[in-house]
Amino acid sequence: MLNPGFRLLDPEAEQLERLAGLAADHEPEDAWRAAICRLEAGVRDGILHKTVMRFLSPGVHAAADINRCLAENARAAGVLLPPLTYFGWPESVWEKIISRYPGPQTLLLGILDAEGIWAGAIAGVQDKSLDFLTTFRTLWNDEPELASRQSLGDCIDICQAVRRKFGRPVSGLFMYRNEFVEWRDANWSAECLRRCQEGHTAVWHEW
């Protein structure tokens, strides 16, 4: 899920916390650690030992592979771990999004309220994993004039600025907060997103 060289670039914590707060039934990032620590010592040590033995060979092991192995060993021991999350969002949601992009891509999400971008993030995707995550603050530091452009109609210009900065194709979604929650509750339905676009409460651009 996270590339070995994953970077968190100058994030604005409040923006990421607001995004995490929108996730459905999300668990804190340390949910697995807390769940494993609560296990009886013999069960816990058995799960961890099997996982460690699986990755003793030299080299870089992807976090997603380690997490998957840990979950499998836990299930074999009769333990169901909480859903794994990244920055508040379930792994299954990230995988659904990332799987659309076989090559390098930058993903842009802006959730708007009446005053502008209420929450948002810019994520880099490569090899079907995340390689960086940041917020609009990084973009505004480079191009301060964009800080005053936070409407649906500004999505194209902001996507273009993101493409200039990261040198990758861009997929950008700007959407009002209430409609975003509706889309989330509809299990990310393409039909729901299409209705929002037709109702001018969301815009989607790809380059």
Side-chain angles (χ1 to χ4, degrees):
M1 183 64 222
L2 300 183
N3 280 335
F6 174 81
R7 297 167 296 155
L8 196 57
L9 303 175
D10 189 26
E12 185 178 358
E14 185 177 2
Q15 293 275 309
L16 295 180
E17 289 169 2
R18 287 175 175 176
L19 278 177
L22 289 175
D25 300 323
H26 73 276
E27 294 284 343
E29 292 298 319
D30 61 353
W32 277 26
R33 182 182 303 168
I36 291 173
C37 286
R38 287 194 297 266
L39 296 175
E40 188 271 326
V43 175
R44 180 185 65 238
D45 293 347
I47 293 171
L48 295 177
H49 177 73
K50 288 181 179 179
T51 304
V52 169
M53 293 302 293
R54 168 67 179 77
F55 295 99
L56 282 180
S57 59
V60 177
H61 303 292
D65 294 337
I66 296 172
N67 290 334
R68 195 169 294 111
C69 180
L70 182 60
E72 290 172 357
N73 290 331
R75 278 196 298 272
V79 177
L80 292 179
L81 296 175
L84 186 63
T85 65
Y86 293 91
F87 309 101
W89 288 84
E91 183 180 37
S92 59
V93 174
W94 279 111
E95 288 180 340
K96 184 176 181 180
I97 296 170
I98 290 174
S99 65
R100 296 186 56 199
Y101 305 103
Q105 189 83 12
T106 305
L107 308 179
L108 176 71
L109 172 63
I111 300 174
L112 281 59
D113 61 12
E115 297 180 357
I117 298 173
W118 178 79
I122 302 170
V125 174
Q126 189 162 349
D127 299 326
K128 294 190 176 181
S129 298
L130 289 174
D131 62 351
F132 70 81
L133 184 71
T134 188
T135 62
F136 289 93
R137 181 63 55 193
T138 295
L139 186 64
W140 295 337
N141 287 342
D142 290 347
E143 301 189 41
E145 66 278 7
L146 291 177
S148 63
R149 306 187 63 180
Q150 301 186 34
S151 70
L152 290 180
D154 295 317
C155 185
I156 292 178
D157 290 339
I158 292 177
C159 284
Q160 290 174 340
V162 169
R163 181 158 187 169
R164 288 194 300 271
K165 179 172 179 62
F166 295 106
R168 300 178 178 185
V170 176
S171 296
L173 174 65
F174 270 26
M175 195 171 193
Y176 282 111
R177 181 179 172 186
N178 289 343
E179 282 73 12
F180 183 85
V181 171
E182 178 184 346
W183 183 41
R184 178 202 70 192
D185 292 345
N187 196 29
W188 318 107
S189 159
E191 174 62 22
C192 180
L193 181 58
R194 183 187 62 79
R195 289 198 306 269
C196 291
Q197 290 175 287
E198 291 176 349
H200 306 290
T201 56
V203 292
W204 171 268
H205 294 288
E206 289 190 310
W207 280 275

